[in-house]
Each structure stands twice: as C-alpha cells, then as structure tokens.
Amino acid sequence: MNWFRTRHPVRPVLVALGSAVLLAASVSVPSAAAAVVEEQPRSSVALDWYDTTAATIAADAAPTQITNSRTWAVSWLAAARATRVVPSGVDRGDFQDAALASAVHGALVALVPSRTQELDAALRATLQGVPDGAAESKGVAAGARQARLVLAAREGDGLDPASVNAPFTLPPAAPGVWQPTPPAYAPAAQYGNRLARPFLLDSPDQYRLPAPPAPDSARYRADLAEVRAYGAVDSTVRTQRQTETATFWLGSSLTLYTEPLRVALARSPHSSAGRARLVALFHVALVDTQIATSDSKYAHLRWRPVTAIRTGSIDPDPAWTPLHTTPAHPDHPSGHNTFSGAAEAVLSALVGPRTAPFKLTSPTAPGVTRTYTTWSRLSQENVDARVYSGIHTRSADEAGLVLGERVATHALRNAARLFGTL
C-alpha cells in the first residue's frame, strides 16, 4: 500500500482551527476589562524583531539546525505568552509592542550572549517608539518575565548541539541497513534529536512512520531506478531546470523557510500578539517535527541511495555518485520534507494555503530567483529536489511530507498547552 501517497491538502477544519488559535487567544483579558478582538497591526515591531532574531541566529551559527529552531521557538513563545493578557487601563498596542520586544530580547540575550550589544540596541530602538508610561513599563516587565519562565521550562531539553549529535552505535552492514556514506563516511548525525524533549508531542515516537518499502519490493526498485537516473552527478536525463531545483533547495530548511515565514508575517492582519503566536507555533511545530524525524530515521535505519546503488543487489554500480553529497543519517524519511510538510501545514492553517506572489532566493543557488503563490509548491519542489540531488528516494520524500503535516497538525490542535486555554 502506497500510504505515503495518501497525503491530502490541509483540510478546511484545520484552517479554521488555525484561525481560532490566533484569534481566540487574543481576547483573554482581565475580567475587569471588556474582551477586545485582534486589531490591525499599527507598527512593524513584530517584523523588526523577526529580522533581529534571524540576524542573531545567523551570526551565532549554531552547528545544528534544531538548536537554531529551538532559539526561534523559545524566543517567540515567550513573546506570545507575554502579549496574550493585556492589563486593564493601558494601551493595548503599546503594551504588546513593549512585551514582544522585551520577551524576544530577554530570550535571545540568554541564548546568544555574544549578541547582547546588538540586542540591547534593538530593544532601545523599539522602546523609543513606545510612549513612556504604564503600558511600556508593564510590557517590558511581562516580556522579561516570560523569557525567564520559558527558558527555565526548556532547560536541559536535549536540543543543544552536543546532545543532538549523541553517539550512535552502528549496526552491522546488511542489505537495506544504513551505513556511513561517501566521500567522508562520517558517523551518524542527529541521532540525539530522538532523545530530546518535545514541546507538544507526547513522545518522540508518537507519529512514527511505518516501515519504508522493502528493498526487494517493486516500489523500492522504481525509487532506486529514478534516483539512479535523475540523481547521478553525470545524469543524462536530468534537465537544467531540475538541476537548478536540486541546488536551490540544497541548503538548510530553516534558512530556506525564513523568508516564506516572513512573507506570511508581513501579510498577517493581526497585531503584535497574533504575529507572535504565528512565529511561535511555526517553530514549535518545526522543533517537534525534527525530533519526530530522527525517531523515524533511526527506528527504520534505511540505507541511502548511494549505498544501495553501489553495493546492493539491484544492478550494482560501484562508481555511481550523486549530484550532491549525502548527509550522514538514514534515508527514511527525508528531513527536508518533514520540515517542508510541517511548514506548509502551519502556514496554510494560519494564513491560508495561497498568497500573493512572492519571490524567493537561495544561498546555494546564487542569481536564481523563484516566484511562488502557494506554500504547497515549496513542498512539491522539495520532494523533487532530493531525488534530483541523488540523496533520497521519492518514498522517503513523500513520507516526510506526511510526517511533517501530522506533527504540525498536532501542534495546532494542542496550541492551548502553549498559550493557555483558548
């Protein structure tokens, strides 16, 4: 059964759920005050701090993607919590702007202390635009408090670089079983992700994928034939456009999705509070997705195409080389595609599946600009890209989309655990 082909577009009920997550949390105010619905954004404080977060993480350059995702999640979860409840008698927008800035600032200073000077300057710039008074002072205090609380709650969660790359005991070589891949034959990476503490998943294996197609199955033979033909460094069937797709999506998923999320944030009709929840949910879902990805990878330990083609029983070719170097972890599922599937699900639920055209560039494809109008198109290209790179089977890519969507849906359905009862 091709279970990985049964993926469906995000259902309308999930889109409605996403809207409820952003809107319902915004009306929780002290009982003495009337409930206030989300207002139109009046400033760019959320965008300013989004850009500050991106610049801070880029400058720090933690060596593991999930550690960087954690920094995003912790910082913006603090902001979402700090902006959720507005005290009586203060301007709502002023309070939320000050709270958001203070929360992200406090978390980032703790997580990336080398950028304290730049972060202090950014906070001063934000507060210069907020009128002095109770709204500002209470917002700053709320943000600082939530940053401390979230940091304390996530202490020792196993998402630091050393824990993420915990040692993995290599199994004996056997057909279908992962082994280190050329040219470096590096030891397994990211095994420790599956040992980390998720934000919202009950356990890392909650959505573990079924076993991939057996190495002697017709589906696997078809997968391998496709990778052999289209993913070879010297492929004669891969087109220039397909090579460009592989190169465009080669880099870190976190880096490649920073701009699409910013596009969604900039076009969001919500205030600072709603925008903070969008960013927080996105990155919480993505941290949990990366944990679930490693769980499935190391539960199934499927070898990579380069190993199967060079040493397997299906027309072995010891000289076959993929277009791009194979990462040092198992094939099933594709981490690029679990990330993409989760991102698509969150963005579709919270801002809708379609958007006005936006342009996207890639650090691994200088000079190339692509234009998109749907989040699903990003996912479709990610599936193809990993095949054209010669580093994943299509089964692993499609299974990745399924896993990412399932984890993201779980995050959306359990958002009350992040923000309080909605």
Side-chain angles (χ1 to χ4, degrees):
M1 175 182 177
N2 289 340
W3 61 270
F4 35 79
R5 290 190 178 278
T6 63
R7 180 172 171 270
H8 300 289
V10 177
R11 298 174 296 279
V13 67
L14 185 53
V15 175
L17 172 63
S19 299
V21 168
L22 289 184
L23 292 173
S26 69
V27 301
S28 178
V29 295
S31 58
V36 181
V37 295
E38 198 78 62
E39 299 171 355
Q40 292 291 316
R42 58 175 193 165
S43 69
S44 61
V45 168
L47 283 174
D48 289 345
W49 280 92
Y50 185 90
D51 293 341
T52 296
T53 307
T56 300
I57 290 174
D60 182 54
T64 59
Q65 177 169 278
I66 196 169
T67 301
N68 293 316
S69 293
R70 177 189 187 271
T71 299
W72 274 102
V74 166
S75 303
W76 285 80
L77 179 54
R81 289 178 176 176
T83 55
R84 185 175 185 269
V85 175
V86 180
S88 302
V90 303
D91 181 87
R92 183 180 186 83
D94 290 343
F95 172 86
Q96 290 182 339
D97 285 350
L100 185 152
S102 176
V104 178
H105 168 270
L108 289 178
V109 164
L111 295 170
V112 192
S114 63
R115 299 289 291 179
T116 297
Q117 183 176 348
E118 292 83 355
L119 291 164
D120 287 350
L123 181 60
R124 286 194 298 271
T126 296
L127 296 181
Q128 286 175 358
V130 178
D132 293 338
E136 181 189 51
S137 61
K138 290 183 178 182
V140 169
R145 177 175 182 271
Q146 288 300 328
R148 290 192 300 270
L149 290 173
V150 176
L151 285 163
R154 295 302 302 178
E155 187 174 359
D157 59 11
L159 294 171
D160 58 284
S163 298
V164 165
N165 286 317
F168 171 71
T169 301
L170 188 68
V177 177
W178 183 82
Q179 295 290 312
T181 51
Y185 295 94
Q190 301 175 20
Y191 171 73
N193 282 1
R194 72 193 302 242
L195 308 176
R197 173 160 51 91
F199 277 85
L200 286 172
L201 288 177
D202 298 328
S203 64
D205 64 353
Q206 184 173 358
Y207 292 101
R208 180 178 292 175
L209 293 168
D216 60 353
S217 67
R219 174 59 200 257
Y220 190 75
R221 287 176 175 274
D223 279 342
L224 211 57
E226 182 184 26
V227 177
R228 186 193 299 267
Y230 286 89
V233 66
D234 56 355
S235 172
T236 59
V237 295
R238 187 180 59 243
T239 66
Q240 182 178 351
R241 174 73 176 184
Q242 290 168 339
T243 301
E244 180 188 286
T245 295
T247 304
F248 190 90
W249 291 102
L250 181 62
S252 156
S253 292
L254 178 66
T255 299
L256 289 165
Y257 271 89
T258 296
E259 183 59 25
L261 177 57
R262 192 188 191 282
V263 168
L265 190 69
R267 295 174 180 180
S268 167
H270 300 289
S271 70
S272 290
R275 289 175 164 192
R277 286 188 291 278
L278 168 60
V279 179
L281 273 168
F282 183 95
H283 284 288
V284 163
L286 265 300
V287 169
D288 281 7
T289 294
Q290 291 174 81
I291 291 171
T293 298
S294 287
D295 173 77
S296 282
K297 277 182 177 290
Y298 285 96
H300 298 305
L301 283 176
R302 173 52 56 87
W303 61 7
R304 287 281 187 157
V306 65
T307 308
I309 293 171
R310 287 188 175 190
T311 68
S313 61
I314 305 173
D315 190 20
D317 180 358
W320 188 90
T321 300
L323 173 64
H324 293 127
T325 300
T326 301
H329 41 76
D331 181 55
H332 190 89
S334 159
H336 263 59
N337 282 286
T338 59
F339 198 108
S340 187
E344 180 191 341
V346 173
L347 292 174
S348 295
L350 299 184
V351 299
R354 302 188 64 85
T355 187
F358 69 93
K359 296 184 182 299
L360 190 61
T361 59
S362 166
T364 54
V368 177
T369 300
R370 292 192 167 188
T371 301
Y372 300 91
T373 58
T374 63
W375 315 118
S376 63
R377 184 61 190 168
L378 308 180
S379 298
Q380 292 162 12
E381 290 189 7
N382 261 290
V383 168
D384 290 337
R386 306 311 267 177
V387 174
Y388 301 149
S389 284
I391 58 181
H392 272 303
T393 60
R394 188 168 294 274
S395 293
D397 293 337
E398 293 177 346
L401 292 184
V402 172
L403 179 60
E405 183 178 329
R406 287 175 181 171
V407 176
T409 300
H410 179 91
L412 290 164
R413 293 191 181 281
N414 290 274
R417 290 164 53 190
L418 290 176
F419 307 131
T421 303
L422 303 185

Short mmCIF file of all heavy atoms in Angstrom, two decimals, residues 357-396:
data_model
loop_
_atom_site.label_atom_id
_atom_site.label_comp_id
_atom_site.label_asym_id
_atom_site.label_seq_id
_atom_site.Cartn_x
_atom_site.Cartn_y
_atom_site.Cartn_z
N PRO A 357 1.81 36.64 -5.00
CA PRO A 357 3.14 36.18 -5.41
C PRO A 357 4.25 36.77 -4.54
O PRO A 357 4.22 37.94 -4.16
CB PRO A 357 3.24 36.68 -6.86
CG PRO A 357 1.82 36.79 -7.32
CD PRO A 357 1.05 37.23 -6.12
N PHE A 358 5.21 35.93 -4.21
CA PHE A 358 6.40 36.41 -3.52
C PHE A 358 7.62 35.74 -4.12
O PHE A 358 7.55 34.63 -4.63
CB PHE A 358 6.33 36.15 -2.01
CG PHE A 358 6.41 34.71 -1.60
CD1 PHE A 358 7.62 34.11 -1.28
CD2 PHE A 358 5.26 33.92 -1.52
CE1 PHE A 358 7.70 32.78 -0.90
CE2 PHE A 358 5.33 32.59 -1.13
CZ PHE A 358 6.54 32.01 -0.83
N LYS A 359 8.75 36.44 -4.06
CA LYS A 359 9.99 35.95 -4.65
C LYS A 359 10.86 35.33 -3.57
O LYS A 359 10.86 35.77 -2.42
CB LYS A 359 10.72 37.08 -5.36
CG LYS A 359 9.95 37.64 -6.55
CD LYS A 359 10.75 38.68 -7.29
CE LYS A 359 9.94 39.29 -8.44
NZ LYS A 359 9.57 38.28 -9.44
N LEU A 360 11.61 34.31 -3.96
CA LEU A 360 12.47 33.61 -3.03
C LEU A 360 13.81 33.34 -3.68
O LEU A 360 13.88 32.97 -4.85
CB LEU A 360 11.81 32.28 -2.62
CG LEU A 360 12.43 31.49 -1.48
CD1 LEU A 360 12.41 32.30 -0.19
CD2 LEU A 360 11.69 30.17 -1.28
N THR A 361 14.88 33.58 -2.92
CA THR A 361 16.23 33.25 -3.38
C THR A 361 16.81 32.18 -2.47
O THR A 361 16.24 31.85 -1.43
CB THR A 361 17.13 34.49 -3.37
OG1 THR A 361 17.20 35.01 -2.04
CG2 THR A 361 16.60 35.56 -4.32
N SER A 362 17.95 31.64 -2.86
CA SER A 362 18.59 30.57 -2.10
C SER A 362 20.09 30.81 -2.03
O SER A 362 20.72 31.12 -3.04
CB SER A 362 18.31 29.22 -2.75
OG SER A 362 19.16 28.22 -2.21
N PRO A 363 20.68 30.66 -0.85
CA PRO A 363 22.13 30.86 -0.74
C PRO A 363 22.93 29.82 -1.50
O PRO A 363 24.11 30.03 -1.79
CB PRO A 363 22.38 30.76 0.77
CG PRO A 363 21.22 29.99 1.31
CD PRO A 363 20.06 30.36 0.46
N THR A 364 22.32 28.68 -1.83
CA THR A 364 23.04 27.65 -2.56
C THR A 364 22.85 27.75 -4.08
O THR A 364 23.43 26.96 -4.83
CB THR A 364 22.60 26.25 -2.09
OG1 THR A 364 21.18 26.14 -2.19
CG2 THR A 364 23.03 26.02 -0.64
N ALA A 365 22.03 28.71 -4.52
CA ALA A 365 21.81 28.92 -5.95
C ALA A 365 21.90 30.41 -6.26
O ALA A 365 20.89 31.06 -6.55
CB ALA A 365 20.46 28.35 -6.38
N PRO A 366 23.08 30.99 -6.17
CA PRO A 366 23.24 32.43 -6.40
C PRO A 366 22.71 32.85 -7.76
O PRO A 366 22.92 32.17 -8.77
CB PRO A 366 24.75 32.64 -6.31
CG PRO A 366 25.26 31.47 -5.52
CD PRO A 366 24.36 30.33 -5.87
N GLY A 367 21.99 33.97 -7.76
CA GLY A 367 21.47 34.51 -9.01
C GLY A 367 20.13 33.94 -9.43
O GLY A 367 19.54 34.42 -10.41
N VAL A 368 19.63 32.93 -8.73
CA VAL A 368 18.34 32.32 -9.07
C VAL A 368 17.25 32.90 -8.18
O VAL A 368 17.40 32.93 -6.96
CB VAL A 368 18.39 30.79 -8.91
CG1 VAL A 368 17.02 30.18 -9.20
CG2 VAL A 368 19.45 30.19 -9.83
N THR A 369 16.17 33.35 -8.79
CA THR A 369 15.00 33.83 -8.05
C THR A 369 13.78 33.09 -8.55
O THR A 369 13.55 33.00 -9.76
CB THR A 369 14.80 35.35 -8.24
OG1 THR A 369 15.96 36.04 -7.77
CG2 THR A 369 13.58 35.84 -7.47
N ARG A 370 13.00 32.56 -7.61
CA ARG A 370 11.77 31.86 -7.98
C ARG A 370 10.58 32.57 -7.33
O ARG A 370 10.71 33.18 -6.27
CB ARG A 370 11.83 30.39 -7.54
CG ARG A 370 12.86 29.60 -8.35
CD ARG A 370 12.73 28.11 -8.14
NE ARG A 370 13.51 27.38 -9.14
CZ ARG A 370 13.48 26.07 -9.31
NH1 ARG A 370 12.69 25.31 -8.54
NH2 ARG A 370 14.20 25.48 -10.24
N THR A 371 9.43 32.46 -7.98
CA THR A 371 8.22 33.12 -7.51
C THR A 371 7.18 32.07 -7.15
O THR A 371 6.98 31.09 -7.89
CB THR A 371 7.65 34.05 -8.59
OG1 THR A 371 8.66 35.03 -8.92
CG2 THR A 371 6.41 34.78 -8.09
N TYR A 372 6.49 32.28 -6.01
CA TYR A 372 5.52 31.31 -5.50
C TYR A 372 4.22 32.02 -5.11
O TYR A 372 4.22 33.19 -4.73
CB TYR A 372 6.09 30.59 -4.28
CG TYR A 372 7.35 29.84 -4.56
CD1 TYR A 372 8.60 30.45 -4.40
CD2 TYR A 372 7.32 28.52 -5.02
CE1 TYR A 372 9.78 29.76 -4.67
CE2 TYR A 372 8.50 27.82 -5.29
CZ TYR A 372 9.72 28.46 -5.11
OH TYR A 372 10.88 27.77 -5.39
N THR A 373 3.13 31.25 -5.18
CA THR A 373 1.83 31.76 -4.74
C THR A 373 1.15 30.79 -3.77
O THR A 373 0.10 31.10 -3.23
CB THR A 373 0.90 32.00 -5.93
OG1 THR A 373 0.74 30.78 -6.66
CG2 THR A 373 1.45 33.09 -6.85
N THR A 374 1.73 29.61 -3.58
CA THR A 374 1.18 28.63 -2.63
C THR A 374 2.32 28.04 -1.82
O THR A 374 3.44 27.90 -2.32
CB THR A 374 0.44 27.48 -3.34
OG1 THR A 374 1.37 26.75 -4.15
CG2 THR A 374 -0.70 28.00 -4.21
N TRP A 375 2.04 27.68 -0.56
CA TRP A 375 3.04 27.03 0.27
C TRP A 375 3.28 25.60 -0.22
O TRP A 375 4.39 25.07 -0.06
CB TRP A 375 2.60 27.03 1.72
CG TRP A 375 2.06 28.35 2.20
CD1 TRP A 375 0.80 28.59 2.65
CD2 TRP A 375 2.75 29.60 2.25
NE1 TRP A 375 0.66 29.93 2.98
CE2 TRP A 375 1.83 30.57 2.74
CE3 TRP A 375 4.05 30.00 1.92
CZ2 TRP A 375 2.19 31.91 2.91
CZ3 TRP A 375 4.40 31.33 2.09
CH2 TRP A 375 3.48 32.26 2.59
N SER A 376 2.27 24.98 -0.80
CA SER A 376 2.41 23.60 -1.26
C SER A 376 3.43 23.47 -2.38
O SER A 376 4.06 22.42 -2.54
CB SER A 376 1.06 23.04 -1.73
OG SER A 376 0.57 23.76 -2.84
N ARG A 377 3.62 24.55 -3.15
CA ARG A 377 4.60 24.50 -4.23
C ARG A 377 6.01 24.32 -3.67
O ARG A 377 6.85 23.62 -4.26
CB ARG A 377 4.53 25.76 -5.08
CG ARG A 377 5.46 25.75 -6.28
CD ARG A 377 5.15 24.61 -7.22
NE ARG A 377 6.16 24.45 -8.25
CZ ARG A 377 6.26 23.39 -9.05
NH1 ARG A 377 5.38 22.42 -8.96
NH2 ARG A 377 7.22 23.32 -9.95
N LEU A 378 6.28 24.92 -2.53
CA LEU A 378 7.58 24.74 -1.89
C LEU A 378 7.79 23.26 -1.55
O LEU A 378 8.88 22.71 -1.73
CB LEU A 378 7.67 25.59 -0.62
CG LEU A 378 7.34 27.08 -0.72
CD1 LEU A 378 7.49 27.75 0.63
CD2 LEU A 378 8.22 27.77 -1.75
N SER A 379 6.73 22.64 -1.03
CA SER A 379 6.82 21.22 -0.68
C SER A 379 7.05 20.35 -1.92
O SER A 379 7.87 19.42 -1.90
CB SER A 379 5.54 20.77 0.04
OG SER A 379 5.36 21.47 1.25
N GLN A 380 6.33 20.64 -2.98
CA GLN A 380 6.47 19.85 -4.20
C GLN A 380 7.90 19.91 -4.74
O GLN A 380 8.47 18.90 -5.16
CB GLN A 380 5.49 20.35 -5.25
CG GLN A 380 4.03 20.08 -4.89
CD GLN A 380 3.06 20.94 -5.70
OE1 GLN A 380 3.44 21.57 -6.69
NE2 GLN A 380 1.80 20.97 -5.28
N GLU A 381 8.49 21.10 -4.68
CA GLU A 381 9.86 21.24 -5.17
C GLU A 381 10.85 20.53 -4.26
O GLU A 381 11.85 19.97 -4.72
CB GLU A 381 10.22 22.71 -5.33
CG GLU A 381 9.49 23.38 -6.49
CD GLU A 381 10.00 24.77 -6.79
OE1 GLU A 381 11.03 25.19 -6.20
OE2 GLU A 381 9.39 25.46 -7.64
N ASN A 382 10.60 20.54 -2.95
CA ASN A 382 11.48 19.83 -2.03
C ASN A 382 11.49 18.34 -2.30
O ASN A 382 12.54 17.69 -2.23
CB ASN A 382 11.03 20.09 -0.59
CG ASN A 382 11.84 21.18 0.08
OD1 ASN A 382 13.01 20.97 0.38
ND2 ASN A 382 11.24 22.32 0.31
N VAL A 383 10.32 17.77 -2.60
CA VAL A 383 10.25 16.34 -2.92
C VAL A 383 11.13 16.03 -4.12
O VAL A 383 11.98 15.12 -4.09
CB VAL A 383 8.80 15.92 -3.19
CG1 VAL A 383 8.75 14.53 -3.80
CG2 VAL A 383 7.98 15.94 -1.90
N ASP A 384 10.95 16.78 -5.18
CA ASP A 384 11.73 16.54 -6.39
C ASP A 384 13.22 16.81 -6.17
O ASP A 384 14.08 16.07 -6.67
CB ASP A 384 11.24 17.43 -7.53
CG ASP A 384 9.87 17.03 -8.05
OD1 ASP A 384 9.48 15.85 -7.87
OD2 ASP A 384 9.17 17.89 -8.63
N ALA A 385 13.53 17.86 -5.42
CA ALA A 385 14.92 18.28 -5.26
C ALA A 385 15.79 17.19 -4.67
O ALA A 385 16.94 16.98 -5.12
CB ALA A 385 14.99 19.53 -4.39
N ARG A 386 15.28 16.48 -3.68
CA ARG A 386 16.12 15.49 -3.02
C ARG A 386 16.37 14.26 -3.90
O ARG A 386 17.39 13.59 -3.77
CB ARG A 386 15.51 15.07 -1.68
CG ARG A 386 15.20 16.22 -0.75
CD ARG A 386 16.34 17.18 -0.57
NE ARG A 386 17.18 16.85 0.58
CZ ARG A 386 18.27 17.51 0.92
NH1 ARG A 386 18.68 18.53 0.19
NH2 ARG A 386 18.97 17.15 1.98
N VAL A 387 15.41 13.99 -4.81
CA VAL A 387 15.65 12.93 -5.80
C VAL A 387 16.69 13.39 -6.80
O VAL A 387 17.64 12.66 -7.12
CB VAL A 387 14.33 12.55 -6.51
CG1 VAL A 387 14.61 11.56 -7.64
CG2 VAL A 387 13.33 11.96 -5.52
N TYR A 388 16.52 14.62 -7.33
CA TYR A 388 17.47 15.13 -8.32
C TYR A 388 18.88 15.31 -7.73
O TYR A 388 19.87 15.25 -8.46
CB TYR A 388 17.00 16.48 -8.87
CG TYR A 388 15.64 16.43 -9.54
CD1 TYR A 388 14.80 17.55 -9.52
CD2 TYR A 388 15.19 15.29 -10.19
CE1 TYR A 388 13.56 17.53 -10.13
CE2 TYR A 388 13.94 15.25 -10.80
CZ TYR A 388 13.13 16.38 -10.76
OH TYR A 388 11.88 16.36 -11.36
N SER A 389 18.96 15.51 -6.42
CA SER A 389 20.28 15.59 -5.77
C SER A 389 20.92 14.21 -5.63
O SER A 389 22.12 14.10 -5.34
CB SER A 389 20.16 16.23 -4.39
OG SER A 389 19.98 17.63 -4.47
N GLY A 390 20.09 13.16 -5.75
CA GLY A 390 20.60 11.80 -5.63
C GLY A 390 20.77 11.34 -4.20
O GLY A 390 21.48 10.36 -3.93
N ILE A 391 20.10 12.00 -3.24
CA ILE A 391 20.35 11.70 -1.84
C ILE A 391 19.15 11.11 -1.11
O ILE A 391 19.28 10.69 0.05
CB ILE A 391 20.86 12.95 -1.09
CG1 ILE A 391 19.86 14.10 -1.19
CG2 ILE A 391 22.21 13.37 -1.66
CD1 ILE A 391 20.33 15.36 -0.49
N HIS A 392 17.98 11.06 -1.74
CA HIS A 392 16.80 10.46 -1.12
C HIS A 392 15.97 9.74 -2.18
O HIS A 392 15.95 10.13 -3.35
CB HIS A 392 15.89 11.52 -0.49
CG HIS A 392 16.23 11.86 0.92
ND1 HIS A 392 16.27 10.94 1.94
CD2 HIS A 392 16.53 13.06 1.50
CE1 HIS A 392 16.58 11.55 3.08
NE2 HIS A 392 16.75 12.84 2.84
N THR A 393 15.26 8.72 -1.75
CA THR A 393 14.25 8.13 -2.61
C THR A 393 12.97 8.96 -2.54
O THR A 393 12.73 9.68 -1.57
CB THR A 393 13.91 6.71 -2.16
OG1 THR A 393 13.40 6.76 -0.81
CG2 THR A 393 15.12 5.81 -2.21
N ARG A 394 12.16 8.86 -3.56
CA ARG A 394 10.88 9.60 -3.54
C ARG A 394 9.98 9.11 -2.41
O ARG A 394 9.24 9.89 -1.82
CB ARG A 394 10.18 9.47 -4.90
CG ARG A 394 8.95 10.37 -5.04
CD ARG A 394 8.47 10.42 -6.48
NE ARG A 394 9.43 11.08 -7.35
CZ ARG A 394 9.50 12.39 -7.56
NH1 ARG A 394 8.65 13.21 -6.92
NH2 ARG A 394 10.39 12.90 -8.39
N SER A 395 10.04 7.82 -2.09
CA SER A 395 9.25 7.32 -0.96
C SER A 395 9.61 8.06 0.32
O SER A 395 8.75 8.43 1.12
CB SER A 395 9.49 5.82 -0.77
OG SER A 395 8.99 5.08 -1.85
N ALA A 396 10.91 8.25 0.55
CA ALA A 396 11.36 8.95 1.76
C ALA A 396 10.91 10.40 1.75
O ALA A 396 10.54 10.95 2.80
CB ALA A 396 12.88 8.87 1.87
#
